[in-house]
Amino acid sequence: MNFKQADVDRFLKTPDKNVRCVLLFGTNEGMIAELSQKFMKTVSDDLTDAFLVSVLQMEAVEKDEGVLYGEYNATSMMGGRRVVLIKDVNNNLTKILKDLMQRSTSDTMLVMTSSSINTKSSLVSYLKNEDFAIVFGCYDDREENISSYVRDFFVQNKITIASDALQLLCRRLSADRKASVNELEKLVCYIGSRKNIVLEDVQKAVSDTSGSSIEDLNYFTASGQTERAINAYQFLLNEGEEPVQLLRNLSYHFYKLLECVANMENGSSADSVVSGLRPPLMFYRKADFTMQLKIWKRKALLDVLSLLYKAERDCKTTGYPAEEIGSWTVMQVSGAARKLKLV
């Protein structure tokens, strides 16, 4: 069965003993590591218990599939359900697993992890159609995932965090769950015996691992933060983003502003149009977006959209320096925003 995050959360709270296989795959190795531990703990609270927990490498299974058969069908001397973790699985496991599931009546849970397979892999295709299996893709955290994860982390550790500190923390954490966990644990160590985190704690203890996202570029540009906008633009280019795609996302942001401004001209308040956006804005973006609505008027927004359209067209023209066109456009638009803030 293909699971979404809500399904995973529900299962971890109320495990289904009919589930015998869990496959966690994707690019977010930190999330894979974290979830594999949580799934295993639905069987055994003590993951060091050699009677109930076994860990295998895929390389060992490929050399001798009997190793997997033996571990899967073994019973604990002390009684209780067992769990077997196989790390770094690949499609060579598909045939072995089909045979194992058909032949065995064991209730052992098999947790499999991989950062090399994808949704088109034979192992994923097989398990997603089986009622006894859970398939979950682990990819880089989006901003809403980061916020939700951070809140859950502090609830579990019985720690409270001030609103401004939470906003800054979410900005500084990266899309890599492993890096985020390291920063959160560092923050908890920093506050010691205290049970409340304030803004100063985050400023002093948490490194900015976020890099720059396309959304950062949009907000820096529309808010008139020229230096940060140019730095974000260059960072994204270095990460492999295309100038045309970055300009297109900027256009989408300004079109969203234009739509909100039009609704405000028809009598809606800034708060209501921002609350009505779909998909909704993250809570720490609302203040910046509302400020942008105050400085950008219809005529200026139409001018910017025209400029962005021309820049995108020029980037697609053979022989034109696309990266320089994008950089100049970001400077022009953010410079205009800075001037509007002074009016």
Side-chain angles (χ1 to χ4, degrees), residues 95-129:
K95 184 176 182 303
I96 300 171
L97 190 60
K98 283 182 179 179
D99 184 67
L100 177 64
M101 291 296 106
Q102 288 172 358
R103 291 174 178 237
S104 178
T105 58
S106 171
D107 68 345
T108 296
M109 177 185 279
L110 190 61
V111 178
M112 297 159 283
T113 65
S114 176
S115 58
S116 62
I117 62 175
N118 55 46
T119 54
K120 295 182 180 179
S121 297
S122 63
L123 190 58
V124 174
S125 298
Y126 161 52
L127 289 175
K128 72 179 182 181
N129 294 315

Side-chain angles (χ1 to χ4, degrees), residues 218-253:
N218 296 341
Y219 276 82
F220 293 154
T221 303
S223 297
Q225 301 177 62
T226 304
E227 184 177 351
R228 297 183 76 181
I230 291 299
N231 288 340
Y233 175 77
Q234 193 58 53
F235 175 86
L236 290 164
L237 288 182
N238 293 339
E239 289 291 298
E241 297 288 347
E242 294 293 331
V244 167
Q245 188 61 41
L246 297 178
L247 292 173
R248 191 169 297 156
N249 274 279
L250 263 177
S251 295
Y252 174 74
H253 183 82

Side-chain angles (χ1 to χ4, degrees), residues 29-76:
E29 294 182 2
M31 184 186 294
I32 291 172
E34 177 194 359
L35 286 178
S36 64
Q37 299 264 309
K38 288 184 176 180
F39 274 108
M40 291 170 72
K41 284 186 175 181
T42 65
V43 175
S44 173
D45 287 331
D46 182 4
L47 298 185
T48 64
D49 186 337
F51 291 109
L52 297 180
V53 180
S54 178
V55 179
L56 301 175
Q57 293 288 338
M58 183 60 200
E59 184 180 358
V61 176
E62 288 178 298
K63 287 181 179 178
D64 180 7
E65 61 188 68
V67 172
L68 175 57
Y69 275 84
E71 288 293 346
Y72 189 79
N73 290 302
T75 56
S76 171

